[in-house]
Amino acid sequence: LVLTPALAYLGWGPFEDAQLGNTDFHPIRLAEIRRSTVLALYPDLSRRELSLPGAMSAGDLAVGDFALASDTRLERVLDRRSLLSRRAAGHVAYAQLIAANLDTLFITTSCNLDFNEARLERYLAMALDAGVTPVLVLTKADQPEDMDVPAYTARAQDLYAGLDVVAMNAKEGVQVAQLLPWCGAGKTVALVGSSGVGKSTITRVLTGLDIATQDIREDDAKGRHTTTARSMYPMLQGGWLIDTPGMRELALQDAGDGIAALFEDLEILAASCKFSDCKHEGEPGCAIAAALTDGVLDADRLERWRKLQAEDARNSESIAQMRARGRRFRKTVKSAVKAKRR
Ligand SMILES: Nc1nc2c(ncn2[C@@H]2O[C@H](COP(=O)(O)OP(=O)(O)OP(=O)(O)O)[C@@H](O)[C@H]2O)c(=O)[nH]1
Ligand SMILES: [Mg+2]
Ligand SMILES: [Zn+2]
């Protein structure tokens, strides 16, 4: 298989080409994951609903995945360039896949009560962990609450050195056009954020499609979860856009690298504490404590870093434990079967 213009249009590149041996299957991209089927885009731009092979479940797949398929069935998912995932809600610890093969993540929040540093840092850590460029999109700049838009922008920029922050009224096409530098042929971007912040409003502008949006509740500025599935759409200017349902919470897992990247300045600072295992809880020679005293470190940000680290460690550990439990269980079954044979 060789890269063709039609395949390049889907976002297919040399990374995908290199994974193909001789195959008679069609190269495709997943536009939607359903309960037990997927919606696939073919290079001729036809969309087909495909069944899954027995060994594959919808939970193993992400919108944006590149894959090989027959006319009716998905056959093989290719290695991903990037993958966003979170810890799924509920008791059983498992990773929920959000989107694959992204270049950029539009982390969306409004200039109102939705703006929350701790939550935005979770999205940022998730993106950085996956090697995806984060862009912070501030919507409802036409109706800011409690402070002016430059103040929201400044707070957003303080989250991460060099972070691109774009403020807009998402209902105005010319303002949404500020996002075009991250869009265009061959690019894939996704929108994430709380319900009601305007993800689908932005999607309508960038795709020209009539996607459902809905007013938010007056009393608490919260949305109504209008979008219910993650879907990938072609953008007017080229490239692909993934709209996602609003998330109530984002629990991280195995995102240690992303957290370290987001708080790199604190990691560097902590490395110069006197004790290499310094917990920054009053030990002598603590560089973090010194920075707090000097006023160069924000106590709230330090607290958020520690909370995020602790949570990630807890969640990642329980997954490792679960895997270990699974291995022990399989071993027990195996030896029981062996004993029976004997
Ligand atoms: N004034 C104003 N209204 C906006 C803006 N962005 C979105 N809205 C409105 O906010 C409401 C919610 O927008 P949606 O695009 O449906 O929000 P969403 O993020 O897709 O929400 P979910 O699908 O529930 O996750 C709609 O009534 C939009 O018209 C904005 O920048 N300014
Ligand atoms: Mg929506
Ligand atoms: Zn210390």
Side-chain angles (χ1 to χ4, degrees):
L1 239 139
V2 223
L3 194 56
T4 61
L7 263 179
Y9 179 77
L10 283 186
W12 192 279
F15 180 78
E16 285 69 37
D17 249 16
Q19 297 180 54
L20 301 179
N22 268 334
T23 176
D24 290 330
F25 292 125
H26 306 288
I28 58 147
R29 191 158 193 199
L30 302 186
E32 225 175 273
I33 314 296
R34 297 173 176 173
R35 205 174 285 277
S36 57
T37 61
V38 293
L39 189 66
L41 285 165
Y42 285 69
D44 65 0
L45 292 190
S46 62
R47 290 165 167 265
R48 262 170 259 177
E49 191 165 1
L50 303 178
S51 64
L52 305 180
M56 213 184 269
S57 86
D60 305 328
L61 305 169
V63 56
D65 264 336
F66 291 105
L68 295 174
S70 69
D71 287 332
T72 54
R73 196 174 86 154
L74 187 68
E75 298 295 336
R76 184 185 138 210
V77 178
L78 301 189
D79 289 346
R80 294 148 175 153
R81 289 179 240 173
S82 62
L83 177 66
L84 290 186
S85 69
R86 64 163 172 168
R87 180 189 165 94
H91 293 296
V92 187
Y94 75 96
Q96 183 182 53
L97 310 187
I98 298 173
N101 300 311
L102 295 183
D103 299 289
T104 304
L105 186 66
F106 291 152
I107 300 169
T108 313
T109 183
S110 304
C111 297
N112 58 31
L113 283 173
D114 184 70
F115 191 103
N116 176 290
E117 270 92 355
R119 184 151 37 74
L120 294 171
E121 278 165 349
R122 285 158 188 270
Y123 286 114
L124 285 166
M126 175 176 73
L128 294 173
D129 200 76
V132 171
T133 306
V135 174
L136 206 116
V137 181
L138 275 172
T139 58
K140 313 206 178 178
D142 52 315
Q143 40 176 227
E145 283 172 16
D146 30 285
M147 55 175 145
D148 60 8
V149 175
Y152 279 107
T153 305
R155 270 171 75 186
Q157 256 146 4
D158 279 346
L159 292 169
Y160 181 54
L163 177 65
D164 282 303
V165 181
V166 180
M168 64 177 65
N169 173 355
K171 292 165 130 178
E172 294 286 342
V174 282
Q175 295 190 30
V176 177
Q178 295 175 88
L179 298 175
L180 291 180
W182 294 279
C183 307
K187 296 278 197 318
T188 305
V189 298
L191 286 153
V192 291
S194 313
S195 179
V197 295
K199 299 179 297 297
S200 297
T201 305
I202 291 171
T203 304
R204 288 172 73 98
V205 174
L206 292 177
T207 65
L209 297 171
D210 190 19
I211 288 154
T213 62
Q214 203 183 170
D215 283 351
I216 61 165
R217 298 189 293 249
E218 284 297 325
D219 48 345
D220 59 0
K222 288 211 168 68
R224 303 166 189 272
H225 293 273
T226 308
T227 306
T228 54
R230 291 181 279 274
S231 304
M232 193 176 75
Y233 306 105
M235 288 187 279
L236 289 168
Q237 314 279 338
W240 297 87
L241 180 64
I242 296 171
D243 187 15
T244 67
M247 290 186 207
R248 270 200 201 86
E249 56 170 319
L250 176 64
L252 298 178
Q253 70 183 24
D254 286 325
D257 292 346
I259 296 168
L262 179 60
F263 294 98
E264 196 191 5
D265 52 331
L266 297 191
E267 298 270 346
I268 290 170
L269 204 55
S272 59
C273 289
K274 185 171 171 201
F275 301 110
S276 61
D277 62 345
C278 186
K279 299 263 189 302
H280 327 303
E281 284 166 355
E283 292 95 326
C286 175
I288 296 275
L292 276 176
T293 315
D294 294 348
V296 291
L297 173 58
D298 174 31
D300 290 341
R301 185 158 172 268
L302 172 64
E303 188 53 38
R304 297 198 301 268
W305 175 50
R306 306 180 76 163
K307 257 182 96 173
L308 210 52
Q309 269 184 327
E311 180 197 299
D312 185 62
R314 217 163 40 238
N315 289 347
S316 312
E317 189 178 72
S318 54
I319 285 198
Q321 282 167 345
M322 202 182 63
R323 290 205 188 107
R325 243 200 330 276
R327 272 196 300 278
R328 277 200 301 277
F329 175 70
R330 284 193 293 277
K331 266 189 193 161
T332 316
V333 173
K334 260 189 202 159
S335 50
V337 170
K338 261 188 201 162
K340 217 176 168 185
R341 283 206 193 112
R342 262 189 251 120

